[in-house]
């Protein structure tokens, strides 16, 4: 099987990363959502070591989009910002910054005040109040047929619960926004997408509960000197027409290293689609540039050896990283909760797409009636245009529980933009149960491991199913590749009647020191039948 990638591993990076100034950025269920226990998570624990995120790079001039006057105006603002020294936004009043978690959660947006609710349009928008983790506000604008207007802050839009706050400034602004639409049934407006905190956003498909999230861009993640967190500063919401199937919004991004203009076109459905376009202007050359970032949580799963004091068999928002290389080869990397920070890089001359995926949809594997991990969305990123050469990075960070988002995946271009330069970006993210990553051929269902028969040895059990596999009358051949220093001891392939597919079992002797890289797939004769299973043991 010809391979279009190889992997570079950094097993220890924590010492290089300074602590984040955004310690404990929240990205859980918004106040008033009514969803249980999808709690606020802290993606900036572990000394700010993570958030290598993904985003798509195109060379200037490669994107041929239709004329968009609004986008050009926002881009002009971003260009002007980038030509001047960076100015941090003003902080909100201290009374809001010092709210406790429970106090902040007690501030709820009044659904009766939702934007466009009275007009019965197919989309409605609610807003988040500044406070606690969200110490900088954003400006909201509405684009209508007769022009653009600013949507000023209004305390009357919120129920403050038991909080007793002094009169707040009229120009306070909002922390972020959430979009509602009749996603699951025509008579109820479900929460469809959220933009909240730095450049974070997330969405879901029909019948799902919030899980993983995305970000506009990542700068200097895990680089010496610490990570930078550019943030969306302004949003422009385009008023939808009656019967509209999608909603459009624009955003202005700013940070010490760059400014940028974004356009999001969001189409709800069984798999909700987000088409993203951006133009970035760089004040400096970043050390690390994360394109189309995705971030998730993996506490423990079927491949975990360590004991976790938890009644649930598995706890994770995503169970694997899926990649499709330029030659069409599909790669599946099961996620893990390592004992030390681990960074992997899959290098490509061309990339067709990638995603953080929740393949396991069996409730019995989670046994969680509140968090609904079996109903968490997957997210798949598809480049629009050519990204060029680069690497797909995966970051796995140790976490003691499920409250920390500890998994990050993003594209890192080989050629970084220079100070004073600009970059045009375009991609699509699908949020759903079965996004575009699901291969038509054989794919990995499950990964398990245990000690082997020999001292220090390890056993791996990989279940494959789908495609031609389910129809094979004779066993396919397993192809196992063991990295430097390791040794393949034995292997076998047998039918798994419970899945209808085939189980590959093999044992290896790992090297005396250092990580062990493993790859495996099934074939019949010269034909490859499955995606490539890729695993890193450290």
């Amino acid at each position: 099987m010809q391979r279009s990638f190889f992997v570079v591993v950094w097993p220890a990076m924590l010492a290089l990363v300074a602590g984040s100034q955004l310690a404990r950025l929240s990205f859980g269920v918004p106040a008033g959502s009514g969803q249980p226990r999808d709690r606020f998570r802290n993606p900036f624990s572990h000394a700010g070591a993570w958030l290598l995120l993904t985003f798509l790079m195109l060379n200037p001039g490669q994107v041929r989009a239709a004329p968009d006057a609004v986008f050009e105006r926002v881009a002009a603002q971003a260009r002007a910002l980038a030509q001047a020294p960076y100015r941090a936004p003003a902080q909100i009043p201290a009374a809001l910054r010092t709210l406790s978690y429970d106090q902040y959660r007690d501030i709820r947006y009044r659904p009766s005040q939702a934007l466009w609710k009275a007009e019965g349009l197919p989309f409605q928008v609610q807003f988040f109040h500044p406070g606690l983790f969200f110490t900088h506000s954003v400006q909201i604008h509405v684009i209508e047929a007769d022009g653009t207007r600013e949507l000023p802050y209004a305390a009357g839009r919120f129920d403050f619960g038991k909080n007793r706050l002094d009169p707040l400034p009229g120009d306070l602004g909002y922390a972020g926004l959430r979009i509602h639409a009749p996603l699951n049934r025509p008579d109820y407006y479900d929460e469809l997408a959220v933009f909240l905190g730095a450049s974070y956003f997330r969405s879901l498909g029909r019948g799902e509960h919030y899980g993983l999230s995305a970000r506009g861009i990542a700068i200097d993640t895990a680089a010496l000197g610490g990570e930078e967190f550019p943030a969306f500063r302004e949003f422009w919401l385009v008023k939808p027409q009656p019967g509209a199937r999608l909603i459009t919004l624009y955003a202005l991004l700013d940070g010490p290293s760059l400014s940028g203009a974004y356009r999001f076109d969001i189409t709800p459905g069984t798999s909700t689609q987000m088409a993203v376009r951006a133009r970035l202007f760089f004040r400096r050359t970043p050390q690390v540039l994360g394109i189309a970032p995705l971030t998730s949580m993996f506490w423990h799963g079927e491949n975990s050896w360590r004991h976790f004091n938890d009644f649930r068999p598995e706890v994770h928002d995503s169970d694997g990283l899926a990649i499709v290389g330029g030659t069409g080869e599909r790669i599946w990397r099961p996620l893990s909760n390592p004992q030390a920070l681990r960074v992997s890089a899959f290098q490509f001359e061309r990339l067709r797409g990638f995603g953080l995926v929740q393949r396991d949809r069996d409730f019995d594997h989670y046994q969680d009636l509140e968090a609904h991990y079996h109903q968490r969305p997957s997210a798949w990123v598809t480049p629009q245009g050519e990204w060029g050469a680069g690497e797909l990075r995966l970051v796995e960070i140790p976490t003691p529980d499920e409250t920390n988002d500890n998994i990050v995946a993003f594209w890192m271009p080989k050629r970084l933009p220079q100070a004073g330069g600009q970059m045009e970006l375009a991609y699509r993210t699908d949020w759903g149960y079965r996004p575009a990553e699901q291969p038509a051929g054989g794919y990995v269902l499950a990964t398990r491991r245990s000690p082997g028969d020999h001292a220090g040895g390890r056993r791996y059990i990989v279940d494959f199913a789908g495609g031609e596999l389910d129809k094979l009358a004779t066993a396919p051949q397993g192809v196992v590749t063991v990295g430097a220093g390791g040794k393949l001891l034995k292997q076998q392939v047998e039918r798994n009647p419970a899945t209808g597919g085939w189980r590959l079992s093999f044992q290896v002797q790992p090297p005396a020191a250092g990580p062990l890289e493993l790859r495996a797939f099934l074939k019949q004769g010269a034909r490859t039948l499955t995606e490539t299973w890729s695993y890193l043991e450290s």
Side-chain angles (χ1 to χ4, degrees):
M1 183 177 188
Q2 184 179 6
R3 304 191 189 284
S4 58
F5 71 98
F6 63 91
V7 180
V8 181
V9 180
W10 293 267
M13 250 186 192
L14 279 171
L16 299 180
V17 186
S20 164
Q21 298 301 309
L22 290 178
R24 293 202 61 80
L25 175 67
S26 144
F27 218 88
V29 167
S33 70
Q35 296 185 41
R37 240 194 69 216
D38 183 12
R39 72 244 119 244
F40 281 90
R41 287 217 186 101
N42 174 16
F44 299 104
S45 58
H46 310 290
W50 73 280
L51 281 174
L52 298 158
L53 289 137
T54 60
F55 200 63
L56 128 97
M57 173 187 161
L58 300 173
N59 293 324
Q62 284 186 317
V63 173
R64 297 290 184 261
D68 185 336
V70 176
F71 182 84
E72 295 300 330
R73 289 199 297 270
V74 179
Q77 284 187 245
R79 182 186 293 108
L81 283 173
Q83 291 172 350
Y86 173 71
R87 295 179 59 185
Q91 288 195 327
I92 60 175
L96 293 173
R97 299 197 308 269
T98 57
L99 289 172
S100 69
Y101 173 83
D102 289 335
Q103 286 175 321
Y104 182 72
R105 290 276 289 173
D106 208 23
I107 303 176
R108 301 172 182 271
Y109 193 86
R110 299 180 188 275
S112 62
Q113 297 295 311
L115 185 64
W116 305 316
K117 179 180 178 65
E119 299 171 72
L121 295 180
F123 296 90
Q124 298 176 6
V125 183
Q126 299 183 18
F127 303 97
F128 293 95
H129 201 282
L132 189 57
F133 312 126
F134 310 108
T135 59
H136 306 103
S137 59
V138 299
Q139 291 180 280
I140 306 293
H141 310 269
V142 180
I143 300 175
E144 300 174 328
D146 57 352
T148 301
R149 63 183 176 91
E150 183 176 353
L151 190 70
Y153 168 80
R157 293 178 180 267
F158 296 91
D159 179 352
F160 288 86
K162 298 178 181 178
N163 292 296
R164 298 292 178 264
L165 299 171
D166 292 332
L168 297 170
D171 60 351
L172 180 61
Y174 300 97
L177 60 91
R178 58 189 181 196
I179 299 169
H180 294 244
L183 180 63
N184 295 301
R185 66 184 205 221
D187 60 337
Y188 183 80
Y189 282 71
D190 298 283
E191 195 169 310
L192 173 69
V194 169
F195 290 77
L196 178 66
S199 65
Y200 283 91
F201 58 93
R202 62 181 180 171
S203 188
L204 38 68
R206 190 168 294 134
E208 297 174 339
H209 294 256
Y210 277 131
L212 82 169
S213 43
R215 194 164 62 149
I217 199 75
I219 300 294
D220 290 348
T221 303
L224 188 64
E227 184 173 3
E228 175 186 319
F229 295 90
F232 291 134
R233 301 302 185 200
E234 295 185 56
F235 289 98
W236 289 259
L237 293 158
V238 179
K239 183 177 181 179
Q241 296 296 315
R245 298 181 60 187
L246 64 81
I247 184 170
T248 297
L249 67 153
Y250 299 84
L252 176 67
L253 181 91
D254 195 26
S257 294
L258 82 169
S259 297
Y262 284 74
R263 171 174 171 154
F264 297 89
D265 294 295
I266 306 173
T267 306
T270 302
S271 180
T272 293
Q273 294 184 354
M274 278 193 183
V276 183
R277 180 191 178 192
R279 187 178 299 159
L280 303 176
F281 304 90
F282 290 83
R283 291 188 177 93
R284 71 171 183 90
T285 302
Q287 298 178 61
V288 175
L289 179 65
I291 304 296
L294 299 175
T295 175
S296 191
M297 181 276 295
F298 185 97
W299 184 22
H300 61 92
E302 61 203 6
N303 59 326
S304 299
W305 271 3
R306 287 185 291 152
H307 175 72
F308 296 90
N309 189 20
D310 188 77
F311 74 93
R312 297 161 295 180
E314 301 184 44
V315 177
H316 49 73
D317 285 338
S318 307
D319 55 8
L321 168 67
I323 313 171
V324 180
T327 63
E329 182 182 15
R330 292 180 176 268
I331 303 148
W332 175 257
R333 166 62 69 86
L335 300 178
S336 63
N337 181 5
Q339 296 186 6
L341 174 69
R342 192 164 69 187
V343 181
S344 304
F346 299 79
Q347 299 188 352
F348 296 90
E349 290 301 311
R350 181 172 178 264
L351 186 69
R352 292 189 184 179
F354 70 94
L356 289 176
V357 177
Q358 187 80 313
R359 276 189 181 171
D360 190 343
R361 297 294 177 184
D362 191 333
F363 168 79
D364 191 53
H365 294 176
Y366 303 95
Q367 288 293 326
D368 197 317
L369 294 172
E370 296 180 273
H372 302 285
Y373 286 113
H374 64 296
Q375 295 178 311
R376 299 296 172 105
S378 301
W380 182 258
V381 175
T382 303
Q384 304 298 301
E386 293 294 333
W387 292 18
E391 59 190 41
L392 198 289
R393 289 192 178 182
L394 171 67
V395 182
E396 298 165 293
I397 299 178
T399 182
D401 54 40
E402 64 197 292
T403 63
N404 297 309
D405 281 337
N406 64 317
I407 302 295
V408 192
F410 66 88
W411 176 253
M412 171 76 175
K414 184 176 181 179
R415 182 182 302 173
L416 296 177
Q418 301 300 303
Q422 72 180 61
M423 178 185 291
E424 195 85 8
L425 313 170
Y427 62 96
R428 190 186 79 203
T429 302
D430 290 85
W431 308 75
Y433 280 131
R434 296 173 65 86
E437 72 82 26
Q438 189 77 8
Y443 54 90
V444 177
L445 275 180
T447 300
R448 296 176 175 86
R449 59 194 184 123
S450 67
D453 297 335
H454 300 77
R458 297 173 187 174
R459 183 196 311 270
Y460 296 87
I461 298 95
V462 184
D463 281 316
F464 292 89
E468 295 182 52
L469 290 179
D470 301 342
K471 304 174 184 177
L472 292 180
T474 58
Q477 178 186 352
V479 180
V480 180
T481 303
V482 180
K487 181 181 180 181
L488 179 64
L489 301 177
K490 61 176 70 174
Q491 72 176 77
Q492 69 174 10
V493 177
E494 59 185 328
R495 169 73 75 178
N496 185 338
T499 65
W502 296 85
R503 171 169 288 185
L504 169 65
S505 303
F506 62 94
Q507 297 191 43
V508 300
Q509 192 70 38
L516 173 65
E517 181 189 342
L518 300 167
R519 299 191 188 108
F521 62 94
L522 300 182
K523 72 173 186 175
Q524 189 174 60
R527 286 189 307 119
T528 297
L529 300 174
T530 70
E531 65 187 353
T532 299
W533 173 86
S534 170
Y535 205 83
L536 181 65
E537 194 76 70
S538 58

mmCIF file of all heavy atoms in Angstrom, residues 482-508:
data_model
loop_
_atom_site.group_PDB
_atom_site.id
_atom_site.type_symbol
_atom_site.label_atom_id
_atom_site.label_comp_id
_atom_site.label_asym_id
_atom_site.label_seq_id
_atom_site.Cartn_x
_atom_site.Cartn_y
_atom_site.Cartn_z
ATOM 1 N N VAL A 482 5.489 -2.137 11.881
ATOM 2 C CA VAL A 482 5.951 -1.777 13.219
ATOM 3 C C VAL A 482 7.121 -0.806 13.081
ATOM 4 O O VAL A 482 8.052 -1.051 12.303
ATOM 5 C CB VAL A 482 6.384 -3.029 14.011
ATOM 6 C CG1 VAL A 482 6.855 -2.637 15.409
ATOM 7 C CG2 VAL A 482 5.233 -4.022 14.098
ATOM 8 N N GLY A 483 7.071 0.285 13.825
ATOM 9 C CA GLY A 483 8.095 1.311 13.738
ATOM 10 C C GLY A 483 9.448 0.867 14.251
ATOM 11 O O GLY A 483 9.621 -0.245 14.779
ATOM 12 N N ALA A 484 10.420 1.771 14.109
ATOM 13 C CA ALA A 484 11.808 1.474 14.453
ATOM 14 C C ALA A 484 11.935 0.989 15.891
ATOM 15 O O ALA A 484 11.360 1.566 16.813
ATOM 16 C CB ALA A 484 12.660 2.726 14.247
ATOM 17 N N GLY A 485 12.689 -0.090 16.071
ATOM 18 C CA GLY A 485 12.940 -0.623 17.399
ATOM 19 C C GLY A 485 11.939 -1.653 17.859
ATOM 20 O O GLY A 485 12.181 -2.370 18.832
ATOM 21 N N GLY A 486 10.776 -1.735 17.201
ATOM 22 C CA GLY A 486 9.757 -2.697 17.581
ATOM 23 C C GLY A 486 9.822 -3.939 16.708
ATOM 24 O O GLY A 486 10.459 -3.949 15.649
ATOM 25 N N LYS A 487 9.156 -4.995 17.144
ATOM 26 C CA LYS A 487 9.185 -6.252 16.417
ATOM 27 C C LYS A 487 7.808 -6.883 16.419
ATOM 28 O O LYS A 487 7.165 -6.996 17.464
ATOM 29 C CB LYS A 487 10.191 -7.205 17.053
ATOM 30 C CG LYS A 487 10.315 -8.551 16.339
ATOM 31 C CD LYS A 487 11.316 -9.453 17.046
ATOM 32 C CE LYS A 487 11.429 -10.802 16.337
ATOM 33 N NZ LYS A 487 12.384 -11.705 17.042
ATOM 34 N N LEU A 488 7.327 -7.283 15.233
ATOM 35 C CA LEU A 488 6.051 -7.984 15.117
ATOM 36 C C LEU A 488 6.264 -9.449 15.497
ATOM 37 O O LEU A 488 7.102 -10.142 14.915
ATOM 38 C CB LEU A 488 5.515 -7.868 13.695
ATOM 39 C CG LEU A 488 4.194 -8.582 13.403
ATOM 40 C CD1 LEU A 488 3.056 -7.969 14.213
ATOM 41 C CD2 LEU A 488 3.886 -8.515 11.914
ATOM 42 N N LEU A 489 5.496 -9.936 16.466
ATOM 43 C CA LEU A 489 5.653 -11.297 16.959
ATOM 44 C C LEU A 489 4.695 -12.269 16.300
ATOM 45 O O LEU A 489 5.089 -13.380 15.909
ATOM 46 C CB LEU A 489 5.466 -11.324 18.483
ATOM 47 C CG LEU A 489 6.430 -10.437 19.287
ATOM 48 C CD1 LEU A 489 6.087 -10.488 20.764
ATOM 49 C CD2 LEU A 489 7.881 -10.858 19.053
ATOM 50 N N LYS A 490 3.427 -11.936 16.197
ATOM 51 C CA LYS A 490 2.441 -12.817 15.582
ATOM 52 C C LYS A 490 1.226 -12.009 15.182
ATOM 53 O O LYS A 490 1.004 -10.904 15.702
ATOM 54 C CB LYS A 490 2.039 -13.934 16.540
ATOM 55 C CG LYS A 490 1.392 -13.436 17.830
ATOM 56 C CD LYS A 490 0.906 -14.569 18.716
ATOM 57 C CE LYS A 490 2.035 -15.359 19.329
ATOM 58 N NZ LYS A 490 1.541 -16.371 20.312
ATOM 59 N N GLN A 491 0.417 -12.537 14.275
ATOM 60 C CA GLN A 491 -0.811 -11.858 13.869
ATOM 61 C C GLN A 491 -1.788 -12.864 13.293
ATOM 62 O O GLN A 491 -1.399 -13.954 12.848
ATOM 63 C CB GLN A 491 -0.539 -10.766 12.839
ATOM 64 C CG GLN A 491 -0.180 -11.273 11.453
ATOM 65 C CD GLN A 491 -0.022 -10.158 10.449
ATOM 66 O OE1 GLN A 491 0.979 -9.463 10.432
ATOM 67 N NE2 GLN A 491 -1.020 -10.001 9.597
ATOM 68 N N GLN A 492 -3.063 -12.510 13.326
ATOM 69 C CA GLN A 492 -4.096 -13.338 12.700
ATOM 70 C C GLN A 492 -5.306 -12.479 12.357
ATOM 71 O O GLN A 492 -5.517 -11.417 12.945
ATOM 72 C CB GLN A 492 -4.522 -14.482 13.631
ATOM 73 C CG GLN A 492 -5.284 -14.046 14.860
ATOM 74 C CD GLN A 492 -5.802 -15.236 15.655
ATOM 75 O OE1 GLN A 492 -5.450 -16.379 15.409
ATOM 76 N NE2 GLN A 492 -6.672 -14.963 16.623
ATOM 77 N N VAL A 493 -6.093 -12.931 11.383
ATOM 78 C CA VAL A 493 -7.338 -12.275 10.993
ATOM 79 C C VAL A 493 -8.452 -13.310 11.082
ATOM 80 O O VAL A 493 -8.310 -14.432 10.580
ATOM 81 C CB VAL A 493 -7.258 -11.710 9.559
ATOM 82 C CG1 VAL A 493 -8.598 -11.102 9.155
ATOM 83 C CG2 VAL A 493 -6.140 -10.679 9.451
ATOM 84 N N GLU A 494 -9.545 -12.959 11.730
ATOM 85 C CA GLU A 494 -10.666 -13.882 11.859
ATOM 86 C C GLU A 494 -11.979 -13.121 11.744
ATOM 87 O O GLU A 494 -12.055 -11.924 12.019
ATOM 88 C CB GLU A 494 -10.606 -14.625 13.195
ATOM 89 C CG GLU A 494 -10.622 -13.718 14.411
ATOM 90 C CD GLU A 494 -10.445 -14.483 15.713
ATOM 91 O OE1 GLU A 494 -10.895 -15.631 15.778
ATOM 92 O OE2 GLU A 494 -9.845 -13.917 16.649
ATOM 93 N N ARG A 495 -13.009 -13.818 11.326
ATOM 94 C CA ARG A 495 -14.336 -13.228 11.192
ATOM 95 C C ARG A 495 -14.868 -12.826 12.558
ATOM 96 O O ARG A 495 -14.698 -13.533 13.541
ATOM 97 C CB ARG A 495 -15.287 -14.223 10.548
ATOM 98 C CG ARG A 495 -16.742 -13.840 10.572
ATOM 99 C CD ARG A 495 -17.073 -12.711 9.589
ATOM 100 N NE ARG A 495 -17.089 -13.193 8.218
ATOM 101 C CZ ARG A 495 -17.386 -12.414 7.166
ATOM 102 N NH1 ARG A 495 -17.663 -11.132 7.355
ATOM 103 N NH2 ARG A 495 -17.388 -12.910 5.939
ATOM 104 N N ASN A 496 -15.500 -11.642 12.612
ATOM 105 C CA ASN A 496 -16.180 -11.204 13.833
ATOM 106 C C ASN A 496 -17.681 -11.245 13.547
ATOM 107 O O ASN A 496 -18.231 -10.336 12.925
ATOM 108 C CB ASN A 496 -15.752 -9.791 14.218
ATOM 109 C CG ASN A 496 -16.346 -9.343 15.541
ATOM 110 O OD1 ASN A 496 -17.360 -9.867 15.992
ATOM 111 N ND2 ASN A 496 -15.726 -8.348 16.164
ATOM 112 N N PRO A 497 -18.368 -12.302 13.967
ATOM 113 C CA PRO A 497 -19.792 -12.429 13.630
ATOM 114 C C PRO A 497 -20.659 -11.361 14.279
ATOM 115 O O PRO A 497 -21.744 -11.070 13.785
ATOM 116 C CB PRO A 497 -20.150 -13.824 14.159
ATOM 117 C CG PRO A 497 -19.124 -14.129 15.194
ATOM 118 C CD PRO A 497 -17.866 -13.451 14.739
ATOM 119 N N ALA A 498 -20.182 -10.750 15.356
ATOM 120 C CA ALA A 498 -20.975 -9.720 16.031
ATOM 121 C C ALA A 498 -21.050 -8.436 15.216
ATOM 122 O O ALA A 498 -22.038 -7.703 15.276
ATOM 123 C CB ALA A 498 -20.405 -9.425 17.411
ATOM 124 N N THR A 499 -20.012 -8.141 14.427
ATOM 125 C CA THR A 499 -19.981 -6.915 13.632
ATOM 126 C C THR A 499 -20.207 -7.179 12.152
ATOM 127 O O THR A 499 -20.485 -6.249 11.393
ATOM 128 C CB THR A 499 -18.626 -6.199 13.800
ATOM 129 O OG1 THR A 499 -17.593 -7.029 13.245
ATOM 130 C CG2 THR A 499 -18.322 -5.934 15.266
ATOM 131 N N GLY A 500 -20.051 -8.427 11.734
ATOM 132 C CA GLY A 500 -20.138 -8.745 10.313
ATOM 133 C C GLY A 500 -18.850 -8.474 9.578
ATOM 134 O O GLY A 500 -18.763 -8.690 8.360
ATOM 135 N N GLY A 501 -17.826 -7.973 10.295
ATOM 136 C CA GLY A 501 -16.551 -7.669 9.670
ATOM 137 C C GLY A 501 -15.470 -8.643 10.087
ATOM 138 O O GLY A 501 -15.740 -9.817 10.365
ATOM 139 N N TRP A 502 -14.233 -8.159 10.147
ATOM 140 C CA TRP A 502 -13.075 -8.998 10.433
ATOM 141 C C TRP A 502 -12.230 -8.360 11.526
ATOM 142 O O TRP A 502 -12.119 -7.131 11.611
ATOM 143 C CB TRP A 502 -12.236 -9.192 9.170
ATOM 144 C CG TRP A 502 -12.982 -9.923 8.104
ATOM 145 C CD1 TRP A 502 -13.834 -9.382 7.188
ATOM 146 C CD2 TRP A 502 -12.994 -11.332 7.877
ATOM 147 N NE1 TRP A 502 -14.367 -10.354 6.391
ATOM 148 C CE2 TRP A 502 -13.864 -11.567 6.779
ATOM 149 C CE3 TRP A 502 -12.341 -12.423 8.459
ATOM 150 C CZ2 TRP A 502 -14.096 -12.843 6.273
ATOM 151 C CZ3 TRP A 502 -12.556 -13.696 7.962
ATOM 152 C CH2 TRP A 502 -13.430 -13.902 6.884
ATOM 153 N N ARG A 503 -11.642 -9.219 12.360
ATOM 154 C CA ARG A 503 -10.806 -8.767 13.471
ATOM 155 C C ARG A 503 -9.348 -9.106 13.191
ATOM 156 O O ARG A 503 -8.993 -10.268 12.945
ATOM 157 C CB ARG A 503 -11.256 -9.403 14.769
ATOM 158 C CG ARG A 503 -10.303 -9.168 15.944
ATOM 159 C CD ARG A 503 -10.915 -9.587 17.268
ATOM 160 N NE ARG A 503 -11.966 -8.642 17.676
ATOM 161 C CZ ARG A 503 -12.601 -8.706 18.852
ATOM 162 N NH1 ARG A 503 -12.331 -9.690 19.703
ATOM 163 N NH2 ARG A 503 -13.524 -7.822 19.146
ATOM 164 N N LEU A 504 -8.508 -8.077 13.245
ATOM 165 C CA LEU A 504 -7.059 -8.256 13.137
ATOM 166 C C LEU A 504 -6.472 -8.215 14.538
ATOM 167 O O LEU A 504 -6.637 -7.237 15.266
ATOM 168 C CB LEU A 504 -6.456 -7.135 12.276
ATOM 169 C CG LEU A 504 -4.934 -7.025 12.278
ATOM 170 C CD1 LEU A 504 -4.293 -8.269 11.653
ATOM 171 C CD2 LEU A 504 -4.480 -5.764 11.537
ATOM 172 N N SER A 505 -5.793 -9.291 14.910
ATOM 173 C CA SER A 505 -5.114 -9.359 16.205
ATOM 174 C C SER A 505 -3.627 -9.542 15.961
ATOM 175 O O SER A 505 -3.232 -10.356 15.112
ATOM 176 C CB SER A 505 -5.633 -10.530 17.040
ATOM 177 O OG SER A 505 -7.028 -10.456 17.225
ATOM 178 N N PHE A 506 -2.800 -8.826 16.678
ATOM 179 C CA PHE A 506 -1.352 -9.009 16.525
ATOM 180 C C PHE A 506 -0.638 -8.620 17.820
ATOM 181 O O PHE A 506 -1.176 -7.887 18.651
ATOM 182 C CB PHE A 506 -0.806 -8.210 15.340
ATOM 183 C CG PHE A 506 -0.976 -6.725 15.434
ATOM 184 C CD1 PHE A 506 0.033 -5.912 15.947
ATOM 185 C CD2 PHE A 506 -2.142 -6.114 14.997
ATOM 186 C CE1 PHE A 506 -0.117 -4.538 16.016
ATOM 187 C CE2 PHE A 506 -2.303 -4.739 15.062
ATOM 188 C CZ PHE A 506 -1.285 -3.950 15.575
ATOM 189 N N GLN A 507 0.555 -9.139 17.983
ATOM 190 C CA GLN A 507 1.371 -8.845 19.151
ATOM 191 C C GLN A 507 2.710 -8.287 18.701
ATOM 192 O O GLN A 507 3.257 -8.697 17.669
ATOM 193 C CB GLN A 507 1.580 -10.095 20.005
ATOM 194 C CG GLN A 507 0.290 -10.654 20.594
ATOM 195 C CD GLN A 507 0.552 -11.720 21.630
ATOM 196 O OE1 GLN A 507 1.442 -11.584 22.475
ATOM 197 N NE2 GLN A 507 -0.245 -12.790 21.592
ATOM 198 N N VAL A 508 3.226 -7.340 19.478
ATOM 199 C CA VAL A 508 4.504 -6.720 19.157
ATOM 200 C C VAL A 508 5.373 -6.647 20.402
ATOM 201 O O VAL A 508 4.877 -6.655 21.535
ATOM 202 C CB VAL A 508 4.322 -5.297 18.585
ATOM 203 C CG1 VAL A 508 3.497 -5.317 17.317
ATOM 204 C CG2 VAL A 508 3.692 -4.373 19.614
#
